[in-house]
């Protein structure tokens, strides 16, 4: 197999990063229109994972994740506008359920799509301030989550973790203590190196999982559990070391670190934590 | 990026697999096991010679050196097929992968003929004199002195951790030829026959067993080494060391992957159902994926540190968990007197404790995990020295 991004994929990654940075300060509706116009919602799995990694990196506030990796794989199409899906059995913590144009309900009788306005969805406050989640009153639901939904969360998580590491690196290169930059201390270096290895590990498994979906490889179910579990394990390490190495500054609301830590944490908690997916892998 | 195998690589793999199936030593023939990393049993010498003659020994080399000018993906397939059969191409891996390889890269025609080819043909074995009591991971601090005189060098100093030295015919020895030069610049590489006057080797036991003799101390007292034994130019030792290790390191991750796979298989047999098993399966998959990625062009050599760290620590963790999964049975520590079955590696590494203890070789040898983390932090993440 070849496990190197080709030139087009590398170009896509750069384009996404630049575009997201450019539209960042605009209202969420305009960001969404930009993503729609660029056709990102229609990207195949690996490209989608690359886009989501960048959106995770930027703590993106749009309903892209739920629309592309929850609604689309369940219904086999894109929604008019934005979409989400209910598949956790009781319709709790459904991404973007309070603002999606269409909602896919996975029931024992199959997938039913309803207008967002037909659904009683109540937004719940969650730790990530840019993430919309709502409880919806829907019952009689199966719990089979599409592989792509797991990859979507894993890729977003990897992006958020990478951002945390980048912020930490900036900080420890600049901040001087005891007459030396923090980053010259071995205790700091070793934590940073471990974060890097955990991110590379999770990213490799995420890309692999996206590839198995793209090629409908028999390993796809296992690969999706691995990607989600590795992203969860990664965020746990990155959260711990990232917040620690940022010192008191990282413990404030003003520092943007918090958005990325929370995005990463949210990606682990949604649709089963690392531990849940490790167990699924053993089953 | 794609999952499909490259047909050219698979064709190469199939050819080698067919060769192996036709020529693999019989179990009955292969019962004598290697006593150290430079002690090669008669059957293993024949086996290595068979691979050399058929150009299947080091596929990356040209035919006259036992290869077929193959690229990295083919070299990986070659090692994978050997590992799948739980046999090595050489029982003197450093002699082959580091010493012969560096002679082929840096040596003269005369040196290649005199030492590299006999090492490749398993006629002689070689050991690597790198570490010293005060220079392990900090190789540039080595102190063994070589003073030039009219027709060669006079060497004085001490090496340690020299695997297999007591069974080796020659030592590739790194020595300081210029004490005034900056640390990296004053080093040269000399090939020293172990029979030379003034060379004393003292093997000592490892944590696994008192009579597990692979490590050596090597004392060099007024050893006269002819000029013709200098590999590369005077002062080029650092380049030789890096060049010869570089090739070995590129595919080093594969040995961790194979060991991890073995451990996970054995732990599954012992009924391990815990979540750590899933985590280690993820480590193994990620290691292979990152290893394949490493085959791509233009990768930063520092990324080898990511593979070494991930692989060696996963093996260590798997060994510990496997030991734990065996409970009190893991205490059992039979003497390693059993015959070597190349088809059944676990008969060679006989106890669970031993497998765990030996896993530390991966996190200590060839640059400790701490050094790997420093390399990642400084060279990949750009943190200040």
């Amino acid at each position: 197999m070849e496990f190197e991004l080709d030139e087009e994929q590398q170009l896509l990654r750069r384009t996404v990063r630049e575009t997201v940075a450019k539209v960042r300060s605009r209202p969420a509706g305009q960001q969404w229109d930009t993503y729609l116009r660029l056709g990102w919602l229609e990207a195949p799995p690996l490209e989608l994972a690359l886009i989501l990694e960048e959106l995770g990196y930027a703590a993106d506030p749009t309903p892209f994740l739920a629309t592309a990796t929850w609604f689309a794989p369940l219904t086999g199409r894109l929604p008019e506008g934005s979409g989400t899906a209910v598949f956790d059995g009781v319709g709790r913590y459904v991404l973007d359920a309070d603002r999606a144009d269409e909602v896919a309900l996975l029931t024992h009788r199959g997938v039913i799509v309803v207008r967002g306005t037909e659904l009683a969805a109540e937004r719940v406050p969650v730790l990530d301030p840019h993430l919309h989640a709502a409880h919806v009153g829907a019952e009689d639901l199966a719990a089979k989550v599409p592989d792509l939904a797991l990859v979507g969360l894993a890729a977003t998580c990897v992006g958020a973790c990478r951002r945390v590491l980048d912020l930490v690196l900036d900080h420890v290169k600049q901040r001087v203590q005891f007459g030396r930059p923090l980053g010259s201390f071995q205790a700091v270096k070793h934590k940073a190196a471990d974060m890097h290895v955990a991110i590379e590990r999770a990213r490799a498994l995420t890309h692999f999982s996206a590839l198995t979906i793209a090629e409908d490889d028999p390993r796809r179910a296992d690969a999706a559990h691995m990607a989600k579990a590795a992203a969860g394990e990664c965020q746990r390490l990155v959260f711990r070391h990232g917040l620690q190495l940022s010192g008191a500054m990282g413990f404030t609301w003003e520092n943007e670190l918090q958005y990325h830590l929370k995005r990463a944490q949210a990606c682990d908690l949604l649709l089963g934590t690392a531990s849940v997916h490790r167990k699924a892998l053993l089953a | 990026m794609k999952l499909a195998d490259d047909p050219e690589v698979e064709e190469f793999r199939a050819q080698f697999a067919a060769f192996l199936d036709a020529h693999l030593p019989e179990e009955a023939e292969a019962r004598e096991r290697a006593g150290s990393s430079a002690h090669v049993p008669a059957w293993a010498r024949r086996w290595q010679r068979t691979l050399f003659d058929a150009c299947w020994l080091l596929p990356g080399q040209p035919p006259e050196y036992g290869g077929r000018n193959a690229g990295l993906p083919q070299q990986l397939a070659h090692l994978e097929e050997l590992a799948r059969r739980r046999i090595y191409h050489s029982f003197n891996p450093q002699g082959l992968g580091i010493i012969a390889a560096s002679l082929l890269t840096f040596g003269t025609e005369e040196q290649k003929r005199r030492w590299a080819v006999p090492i490749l043909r398993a006629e002689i074995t070689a050991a690597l004199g790198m570490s010293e009591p005060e220079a392990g991971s900090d190789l540039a601090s080595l102190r063994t002195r070589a003073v030039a005189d009219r027709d060669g060098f006079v060497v004085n100093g001490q090496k340690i951790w020299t695997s297999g030295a007591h069974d080796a015919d020659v030592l590739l020895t790194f020595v300081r030829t210029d004490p005034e030069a900056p640390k990296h610049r004053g080093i040269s590489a000399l090939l020293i026959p172990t029979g030379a006057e003034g060379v004393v080797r003292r093997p000592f036991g490892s944590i696994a067993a008192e009579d597990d003799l692979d490590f050596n101390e090597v004392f060099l007292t007024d050893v006269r080494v002819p000029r013709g034994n200098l590999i590369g130019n005077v002062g080029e030792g650092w380049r030789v060391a890096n060049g010869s290790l570089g090739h070995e390191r590129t595919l080093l991750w594969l040995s961790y992957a194979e060991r991890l796979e073995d451990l996970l298989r054995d732990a599954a047999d012992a009924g391990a159902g815990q979540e750590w098993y899933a985590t280690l399966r993820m480590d193994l998959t990620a290691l292979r994926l990152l290893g394949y990625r490493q085959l791509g062009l233009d990768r930063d050599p520092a990324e080898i540190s990511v593979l070494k760290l991930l692989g060696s620590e996963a093996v260590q963790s798997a060994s510990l968990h496997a030991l734990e999964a065996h409970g009190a049975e893991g205490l059992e520590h039979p003497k390693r007197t059993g015959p070597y079955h190349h088809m059944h590696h676990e008969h060679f590494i006989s106890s669970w404790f031993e497998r765990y203890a030996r896993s530390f070789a991966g996190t200590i040898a060839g640059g400790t995990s701490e050094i790997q983390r420093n390399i990642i932090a400084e060279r990949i993440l750009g943190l200040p020295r």
Side-chain angles (χ1 to χ4, degrees):
Chain A
M1 69 179 288
E2 280 172 30
F3 205 67
E4 177 77 288
L5 295 178
D6 63 31
E7 276 180 29
E8 267 180 51
Q9 287 157 345
Q10 290 181 31
L11 178 67
L12 173 71
R13 180 143 78 175
R14 281 197 300 275
T15 310
V16 174
R17 183 168 295 202
E18 285 161 16
T19 307
V20 171
K22 207 163 66 192
V23 301
R24 173 184 235 146
S25 53
R26 298 190 196 152
Q30 281 182 31
Q31 296 179 27
W32 179 248
D33 290 343
T34 307
Y35 302 167
L36 282 185
R37 201 176 62 245
L38 291 168
W40 289 356
L41 274 173
E42 285 131 276
L46 180 63
E47 284 71 13
L48 201 55
L50 298 177
I51 293 169
L52 282 166
E53 205 173 302
E54 291 308 319
L55 294 182
Y57 189 88
D60 178 69
T62 73
F64 188 91
L65 172 65
T67 306
T69 73
W70 292 26
F71 184 91
L74 272 186
T75 61
R77 66 172 176 85
L78 291 172
E80 302 288 328
S82 64
T84 188
V86 176
F87 36 53
D88 71 345
V90 285
R92 291 167 66 79
Y93 307 104
V94 181
L95 284 186
D96 299 308
D98 61 317
R99 58 172 178 169
D101 297 300
E102 293 183 63
V103 180
L105 302 173
L106 182 58
T107 76
H108 289 302
R109 293 181 299 278
V111 178
I112 300 168
V113 177
V114 299
R115 304 292 309 165
T117 49
E118 291 170 30
L119 208 67
E122 188 188 344
R123 188 174 179 192
V124 285
V126 293
L127 58 91
D128 179 343
H130 292 138
L131 199 69
H132 274 251
H135 294 337
V136 289
E139 288 180 21
D140 188 28
L141 299 171
K144 172 76 180 130
V145 175
D147 297 337
L148 193 62
L150 299 179
V151 176
L153 285 167
T156 307
C157 187
V158 167
C161 288
R162 187 76 232 175
R163 184 63 175 275
V164 170
L165 178 55
D166 284 352
L167 289 170
V168 167
L169 292 174
D170 286 348
H171 173 67
V172 301
K173 282 176 195 170
Q174 283 162 22
R175 174 98 167 116
V176 174
Q177 290 276 268
F178 309 103
R180 295 164 60 183
L182 281 183
S184 68
F185 290 101
Q186 192 157 265
V188 171
K189 282 180 184 169
H190 288 191
K191 284 192 167 72
D194 285 342
M195 288 159 81
H196 175 74
V197 173
I199 292 169
E200 287 290 282
R201 174 180 183 266
R203 173 185 276 149
L205 290 169
T206 301
H207 291 177
F208 177 60
S209 179
L211 269 182
T212 61
I213 295 170
E215 301 186 14
D216 196 23
D217 185 277
R219 291 167 289 184
R220 61 183 282 171
D222 265 5
H225 289 307
M226 284 194 185
K228 182 69 166 76
E233 289 172 359
C234 171
Q235 80 81 22
R236 184 180 281 214
L237 184 92
V238 167
F239 196 112
R240 189 154 54 94
H241 289 347
L243 190 46
Q244 179 68 24
L245 293 184
S246 302
M249 276 313 294
F251 198 69
T252 65
W253 186 267
E254 282 78 10
N255 193 296
E256 70 161 305
L257 187 78
Q258 56 130 336
Y259 295 120
H260 310 295
L261 293 175
K262 289 169 181 173
R263 176 60 52 99
Q265 181 72 261
C267 290
D268 181 34
L269 294 173
L270 287 165
L271 303 187
T273 60
S275 176
V276 169
H277 287 282
R278 281 197 297 262
K279 289 190 182 105
L281 197 55
L282 293 173
Chain B
M1 200 183 261
K2 61 174 193 279
L3 289 174
D5 295 318
D6 180 334
E8 263 179 53
V9 177
E10 292 315 300
E11 170 59 28
F12 181 91
R13 184 194 296 278
Q15 279 178 24
F16 184 48
F19 174 85
L20 285 176
D21 293 340
H23 294 91
L24 214 56
E26 301 285 330
E27 277 202 41
E29 176 194 3
R31 293 175 77 83
E32 186 199 351
R33 64 180 175 83
S36 82
S37 52
H39 167 249
V40 183
W43 68 268
R45 283 184 194 258
R46 281 197 298 277
W47 167 236
Q48 185 178 324
R49 180 64 190 268
T50 302
L51 289 165
F52 177 89
D53 288 343
C55 299
W56 281 120
L57 185 63
L58 287 180
Q61 294 292 342
E64 63 268 34
Y65 302 122
R68 39 189 76 204
N69 293 313
L72 265 181
Q74 278 84 351
Q75 292 174 44
L76 174 62
H78 172 261
L79 292 178
E80 279 177 342
E81 287 308 307
L82 286 165
R84 193 167 289 169
R85 290 161 182 80
R86 296 189 167 193
I87 192 168
Y88 316 114
H89 48 335
S90 170
F91 285 68
N92 181 212
Q94 289 193 333
L96 201 70
I98 299 177
I99 296 153
S102 59
L103 285 164
L104 293 180
T105 308
F106 299 98
T108 62
E109 287 310 312
E110 156 74 7
Q111 290 171 337
K112 292 179 194 176
R113 190 186 54 73
R114 203 165 146 209
W115 293 302
V117 172
I119 292 171
L120 295 172
R121 287 155 60 116
E123 290 158 3
I124 62 172
T125 59
L128 186 64
M130 245 181 194
S131 296
E132 295 188 7
E134 292 180 48
S137 283
D138 180 15
L139 180 65
S141 291
L142 67 85
R143 290 178 178 177
T144 295
R145 287 279 310 267
V147 178
D149 68 2
R150 35 181 214 292
D151 56 353
F153 301 89
V154 178
V155 180
N156 277 284
Q158 184 194 346
K159 295 287 172 182
I160 194 168
W161 316 118
T162 319
S163 299
H166 62 299
D167 288 321
D169 299 298
V170 290
L171 296 173
L172 178 63
T173 315
F174 291 86
V175 296
R176 189 162 296 286
T177 35
D178 184 357
E180 307 302 323
K183 271 172 47 171
H184 294 71
R185 302 243 176 89
I187 298 171
S188 302
L190 290 177
L191 204 80
I192 303 181
T194 53
E197 201 178 327
V199 177
V200 173
R201 296 162 284 169
R202 191 187 74 83
F204 55 98
S206 79
I207 189 170
E210 194 177 8
D211 60 355
D212 173 43
L213 300 179
D214 192 32
F215 289 145
N216 274 256
E217 287 182 295
V218 180
F219 301 93
L220 303 158
T221 310
D222 294 331
V223 181
R224 298 200 58 86
V225 182
R227 190 93 195 168
N229 293 33
L230 174 71
I231 314 300
N233 294 319
V234 171
E236 273 192 349
W238 188 255
R239 204 162 77 88
V240 174
N242 275 306
S244 44
L245 289 179
H247 180 77
E248 186 81 349
R249 280 177 184 160
T250 308
L251 295 175
L252 180 70
W253 62 270
L254 186 65
S255 65
Y256 298 122
E258 299 302 344
R259 224 166 300 159
L260 194 51
E261 198 163 326
D262 272 355
L263 281 161
L264 289 177
R265 188 168 38 222
D266 293 344
D269 291 346
Q274 294 88 344
E275 281 184 49
W276 59 259
Y277 185 80
T279 290
L280 289 165
R281 268 184 62 196
M282 286 147 61
D283 281 337
L284 175 59
T285 309
L287 183 63
R288 287 194 184 282
L289 294 168
L290 293 171
Y292 291 141
R293 192 182 71 177
Q294 175 70 27
L295 298 181
L297 297 171
D298 301 331
R299 304 300 309 190
D300 182 344
E303 290 196 20
I304 290 167
S305 294
V306 172
L307 293 170
K308 181 174 189 284
L309 188 62
L310 181 63
S312 64
E313 299 212 330
V315 167
Q316 194 165 83
S317 180
S319 313
L320 176 60
H321 285 304
L323 175 62
E324 199 177 72
H326 282 81
E329 193 195 309
L331 281 171
E332 207 174 305
H333 190 60
K335 277 266 179 199
R336 300 189 321 129
T337 49
Y340 180 81
H341 290 253
H342 69 80
M343 314 295 182
H344 301 287
H345 192 57
E346 66 270 29
H347 288 219
F348 176 52
I349 304 286
S350 54
S351 80
W352 289 103
F353 164 71
E354 184 170 338
R355 291 172 82 164
Y356 175 52
R358 283 186 185 278
S359 73
F360 284 77
T363 56
I364 297 171
T368 60
S369 287
E370 287 67 29
I371 292 293
Q372 306 305 329
R373 287 189 170 89
N374 287 348
I375 292 172
I376 293 167
E378 289 164 13
R379 307 237 304 256
I380 299 179
L381 303 178
L383 294 182
R385 286 180 66 85

